[in-house]
Amino acid sequence: MRLSTATTRSEAGVLATNKVLRNTYLLLAMTLLFSAATAGLSMALNLPHPGMIVSMVGYFGLLFLTTRFSNSAWGLLWVFALTGFMGMTLGPILNMYLHAFSNGHQLIMTALGGTGVIFLGLSGYALTTRKDFSFMAGFLMVGVLVAFFAGLAAVLFSVPALSLAVSAMFILLMSGMILFQTSEIIHGGETNYILATVSLYVSIYNLFVSLLQILGVFGGDD
């Protein structure tokens, strides 16, 4: 009887994990498409970048609302609002690369392809090996905070070398976040697919922008 109960609980846990994983990747695909659409709209309308303050207030405000309502249907509304807003802020950045570099289209597509390869490769590795990357939590938290404040310093004091170093840091940190978040879903550490989606989306977004910046420095024709 005890063995049967334990087996049932184990099977229930696997089913729950698979459901969270399936819902996460489905919602992630939908938010990425929606974000791409809002970025395209922003580019077509040639909207200006809202600036660092508006971007940060909008991001953290929508992130708070998404987290606050992550256990209800309202969470879906806010996750699309968040990813749509981030897409709108990405549009002016893409337009800048298209106008600043003669090979801007190539840089964007290379960054997009690189982001896709890194995400699929790391996610596939975590899913197939089923390794537990929860030990990375503390390192990633500290690393993101250091990179965030270093990025602010680079913008405020206009230090190109520091900005480039921050982009390299974010590539490594976001790669680690993809491994960590996928591992959390697999091992039951994350049971909310909305929160899991936001974490993976933000990692992909930062990974793409960081790759684009580095490619612009080393691969731009102008």
Side-chain angles (χ1 to χ4, degrees):
M1 178 66 70
R2 290 181 179 177
L3 181 60
S4 176
T5 302
T7 302
T8 301
R9 288 178 178 175
S10 177
E11 291 176 350
V14 171
L15 289 174
T17 297
N18 290 338
K19 182 179 180 181
V20 173
L21 191 64
R22 181 176 64 253
N23 289 342
T24 296
Y25 279 95
L26 177 60
L27 183 58
L28 179 63
M30 294 172 65
T31 53
L32 287 172
L33 289 173
F34 182 66
S35 185
T38 57
L41 178 63
S42 178
M43 294 174 69
L45 297 176
N46 199 27
L47 297 179
H49 194 275
M52 183 176 64
I53 295 177
V54 174
S55 296
M56 289 179 61
V57 171
Y59 168 72
F60 285 110
L62 291 171
L63 181 62
F64 169 78
L65 290 171
T66 302
T67 304
R68 173 68 177 78
F69 294 98
S70 60
N71 292 312
S72 70
W74 284 102
L76 292 173
L77 172 65
W78 292 117
V79 76
F80 276 101
L82 171 62
T83 55
F85 174 77
M86 293 183 73
M88 292 291 286
T89 63
L90 181 61
I93 297 175
L94 298 180
N95 269 340
M96 184 271 290
Y97 275 87
L98 292 176
H99 291 107
F101 301 100
S102 58
N103 63 334
H105 285 90
Q106 181 182 352
L107 294 176
I108 292 172
M109 294 308 297
T110 302
L112 186 62
T115 301
V117 169
I118 292 173
F119 174 73
L120 292 175
L122 293 175
S123 295
Y125 177 77
L127 288 169
T128 54
T129 63
R130 302 188 69 83
K131 288 186 177 180
D132 187 356
F133 291 97
S134 59
F135 66 90
M136 299 175 65
F139 168 77
L140 291 172
M141 181 178 295
V142 174
V144 169
L145 285 175
V146 171
F148 175 75
F149 286 113
L152 287 180
V155 172
L156 293 174
F157 299 105
S158 299
V159 185
L162 180 57
S163 180
L164 189 62
V166 169
S167 293
M169 288 176 63
F170 264 108
I171 290 174
L172 293 176
L173 289 167
M174 294 305 105
S175 296
M177 283 296 295
I178 292 170
L179 283 173
F180 170 76
Q181 188 60 63
T182 306
S183 172
E184 285 291 280
I185 298 172
I186 295 172
H187 296 285
E190 179 60 82
T191 59
N192 188 302
Y193 70 95
I194 291 179
L195 296 180
T197 297
V198 170
S199 177
L200 289 174
Y201 174 89
V202 171
S203 297
I204 292 171
Y205 180 96
N206 286 322
L207 185 58
F208 171 73
V209 172
S210 299
L211 279 173
L212 186 59
Q213 183 173 4
I214 289 179
L215 287 170
V217 172
F218 293 106
D221 285 344
D222 300 320

